[in-house]
Amino acid sequence: MEDRSQSAEHAPLDVADRKMLAEIKESVLGTSQQDFLVGRFRVLERLGGGSMGVVFVAFDDQLKRRVALKLLHRGVGGSDDQRKARMLREAQVLAQLAHPNVVQVHEAGEHEGQIFMAMELVEGQPLDELQRGHSDGDWKKLLELYVAAGRGLAAAHGKGVVHRDFKPHNVVVDTEGGVRVVDFGLARGPTTSQAEHTAELPVVVGGAIERPQLERLTATGIVPGTPAYMAPELFEGQVATPQSDQFAFCVALYEAVYGRRPFDGSRLQDMVAAAKRGEILPPPSERSVPRWIFKAVARGLAPSPADRYPNMEGLLAELTRDRGRGRRRVLIAVVAVVVAGVAWAAGAQASSSPVIEPVSQDQARAAAEELRKQGCGTRVVGMQARWSAAKERLASPSAAANEADELAAISSAGAERFFHRWEESCRADLESAGESCRARSELALEGALTGDRPLHEDAFHDLTYELELCLEEGTSACGSSPSGSPAALALEAARSAELTGDLDAAAEHAGRATALATGPGDRLTRLRAMLRQGAILESRGQTRASRALLETTLVHALICDADVLAVDVALKQAESEAFHSGDPERAELALQVATELLAKNPTDLPLRRARLLEKIAASRLHLERRCAEGLDLLAQALALRERAIIERAGQGLSTAVLERLAADAQLNIANTHLHSLMGYWEGCDGEGLDGSRVLEEYRQAR
């Protein structure tokens, strides 16, 4: 890369400049454009740009998907090394934030001396544009969008990352209603100094800045950010913190629901002075927004960071707090009066119309369902708060510093996926089967957080996957113990111990659950406890004891007509026989049972069907060394998982968990290719495989 001090005529053109020049030539001279490639990404069209860089729509020819490709301008903000470090830092920040409310980064690198970053292409519009089209009665919808954005900020803060430029324009709402916080270009990680950022951006010329310009100007020379949303302490040169992001969030939310900013003044210095004095404009009288929103936002706008909420979770808890408890009592009273009124009317037909207007059963049911949905968010915020309080205590004490950071990042990303999917499931499915499933995962997590042992790195992924599997469950003739029964509590204690890797305690609790589940309604809980016991015994290397227990569990599950549970038992048997005992006949028998049960099941169970294909593939590979057939089965399993992602996305639901499972399936395929190349499988020596491509496939899957 040439030095920026060179004359303009000798300076190399940016990709953006060359793309624009080609478009002009095509328009004026009629010459055809050639493909512009940045790495493996084919540049299609310009999406937008700013002082730091330009964003294109591009196509990833390898993975066959459109992406947003951000390129940093040449000669902006210091030396080449500084520019590269800044862009790569932005990419690293975003790549760590595997959260449904944060834009996802796919790849970052350097092309012809220009830094690029390939990101998820979010089809939608910025929140500031969207909220301009809302009336003052749409505060509920706007609050829902901002709470989602706030969860993205909270996830960033959980990793020690401060956004530093939160504003409505940096929040995108996609066509399905999903919310993403974007543009972490000013983000400060835990090791980034304040001076490092301040030096990267130009200084605003002194003098008054008129109010209409505020959202478009970046005020630096003081601190990077957008002045209208900046916390007062930042104008004094203090380091940005989660509390300053919280302040910006509250300015934006106030503006969204009230149609104006919270501090008066046509000049920047007047607004800053009002913010420092805490002089918040009262809500406009014509806006029908509940008073509690103003109270919640006002605390987040406190002049002193210490007077704001301790964290974003605290603010979100206040914004989503269940204020329907009193309304529930009123609803119950209304229904009771309606019932009494109907009875009175039946016994006194000569009377005139009833005193109280009757409420239909459909209206009462709809009101009750809405109140229950509000409780979903409250429960999630409670779980998030308890996780935030416990995660430092549960950090792995034996891991090296760099490994500990990586494990913490994995756990935090998994936690956010779990909480989001839990609430999404709760809001979509309030039936007893779904609620029982969610209650089990909630109890297991609560138990794990009360101990002193660290959670294993995949604990949240396992919980979320079990939540998905649980939602595929069907009915059975066995019944199930109430969630608060001694047997059910002992079973969840076993799961809690497993989440921390304490298999001795897990085995003890699972055995106790089996012993306690003796009542007529406890049979399904007993079978679940036996399956858990069998899995724990296998993990501890007690193969024979595990085999005997799993065989007994399978028989009783079939007697109960608990077919889905029987599939889980059979799959666990097949896995145990393929990887531990090495008995192909027993493995094949278990796989046949699972295949027959899934074939006769009237509902589609994509997660379990994919697991079955993967277990059959494992048997073909490990027991029979039939790698071609094994690879074909793994490809079928991956196709099933990808189909499930498409179907879930079409319903407007999050797909993060399913995408993780698809990535696992891709890793299985890559791992098998690698072993084939190394000659690990008999009769499958990797003939026809390109070594460099296999290694690249494996690296990407990892």
Side-chain angles (χ1 to χ4, degrees), residues 9 42 55 65 305 321 341 442 527 544 567 576 593 619 692:
E9 60 183 336
R42 184 154 40 89
V55 182
R65 63 183 174 189
R321 182 162 59 84
E442 190 176 2
L527 291 176
R544 289 187 179 181
V567 169
S576 179
V593 170
S619 178
S692 59

Side-chain angles (χ1 to χ4, degrees), residues 7-19:
S7 64
E9 60 183 336
H10 293 107
L13 289 174
D14 282 357
V15 171
D17 297 330
R18 288 190 281 121
K19 178 69 173 172

Side-chain angles (χ1 to χ4, degrees), residues 240-536:
T241 66
Q243 274 68 34
S244 56
D245 273 358
Q246 183 186 134
F247 184 95
F249 176 89
C250 288
V251 172
L253 178 55
Y254 183 106
E255 182 182 22
V257 298
Y258 295 125
R260 69 184 186 193
R261 297 228 173 94
F263 303 108
D264 197 13
S266 60
R267 300 187 307 165
L268 173 61
Q269 45 264 59
D270 296 334
M271 296 177 68
V272 173
K276 288 181 177 179
R277 293 191 298 267
E279 295 175 353
I280 304 171
L281 291 170
S285 57
E286 67 274 11
R287 294 272 173 161
S288 55
V289 179
R291 181 70 183 174
W292 58 262
I293 290 184
F294 178 78
K295 289 182 178 180
V297 169
R299 181 176 174 185
L301 294 173
S304 170
D307 293 332
R308 299 169 200 156
Y309 294 91
N311 47 44
M312 278 300 298
E313 286 90 346
L315 170 58
L316 296 174
E318 186 61 25
L319 291 173
T320 58
R321 182 162 59 84
D322 184 6
R323 291 172 171 84
R325 188 171 299 174
R327 294 198 298 273
R328 286 193 191 95
R329 289 196 291 267
V330 172
L331 177 63
I332 292 169
V334 167
V335 173
V337 171
V338 168
V339 172
V342 171
W344 169 82
Q349 294 182 10
S351 172
S352 59
S353 60
V355 177
I356 297 177
E357 183 73 22
V359 177
S360 72
Q361 287 186 349
D362 288 343
Q363 287 174 312
R365 190 179 298 112
E369 182 175 356
E370 179 58 32
L371 292 172
R372 290 174 67 194
K373 285 184 177 180
Q374 292 174 12
C376 295
T378 303
R379 285 171 68 184
V380 165
V381 168
M383 284 192 284
Q384 286 175 317
R386 287 187 286 278
W387 160 239
S388 296
K391 63 181 178 182
E392 294 297 330
R393 179 170 52 81
L394 300 181
S396 176
S398 60
N402 59 340
E403 184 184 355
D405 289 343
E406 183 178 352
L407 293 177
I410 291 171
S411 291
S412 294
E416 292 303 330
R417 282 194 294 269
F418 170 71
F419 293 136
H420 182 78
R421 185 66 186 112
W422 194 99
E423 182 177 2
E424 189 176 61
S425 166
C426 180
R427 289 181 179 275
D429 173 22
L430 294 168
E431 299 301 322
S432 57
E435 175 55 30
S436 174
C437 168
R438 287 185 294 277
R440 291 203 298 272
S441 64
E442 190 176 2
L443 280 171
L445 177 59
E446 293 284 349
L449 295 182
T450 58
D452 295 322
R453 293 175 63 100
L455 274 65
H456 67 72
E457 63 185 70
D458 272 343
F460 279 105
H461 173 68
D462 291 349
L463 276 175
T464 318
Y465 186 35
E466 287 171 13
L467 179 63
E468 300 283 357
L469 289 173
C470 195
L471 295 177
E472 288 188 353
E473 282 184 8
T475 58
S476 75
C478 288
S480 186
S481 309
S483 58
S485 71
L489 290 175
L491 181 54
E492 296 319 315
R495 189 70 192 100
S496 299
E498 279 187 287
L499 294 175
T500 65
D502 190 350
L503 295 184
D504 291 337
E508 181 181 343
H509 289 306
R512 188 159 54 88
T514 303
L516 288 170
T518 56
D522 289 337
R523 293 170 68 192
L524 197 57
T525 300
R526 180 180 174 84
L527 291 176
R528 287 199 182 107
M530 291 169 68
L531 172 56
R532 185 68 66 195
Q533 236 184 325
I536 294 168

Side-chain angles (χ1 to χ4, degrees), residues 13-26 32-45 56-59 61 69 71 111-112:
L13 289 174
D14 282 357
V15 171
D17 297 330
R18 288 190 281 121
K19 178 69 173 172
M20 182 175 65
L21 184 61
E23 289 171 352
I24 293 172
K25 286 182 177 180
E26 181 183 35
S32 61
Q33 289 191 50
Q34 294 181 337
D35 283 346
F36 279 83
L37 295 176
V38 176
R40 70 169 189 270
F41 303 101
R42 184 154 40 89
V43 179
L44 300 178
E45 60 182 300
F56 289 97
V57 177
F59 190 75
D61 285 312
L69 190 70
L71 292 116
H111 175 76
E112 297 181 0

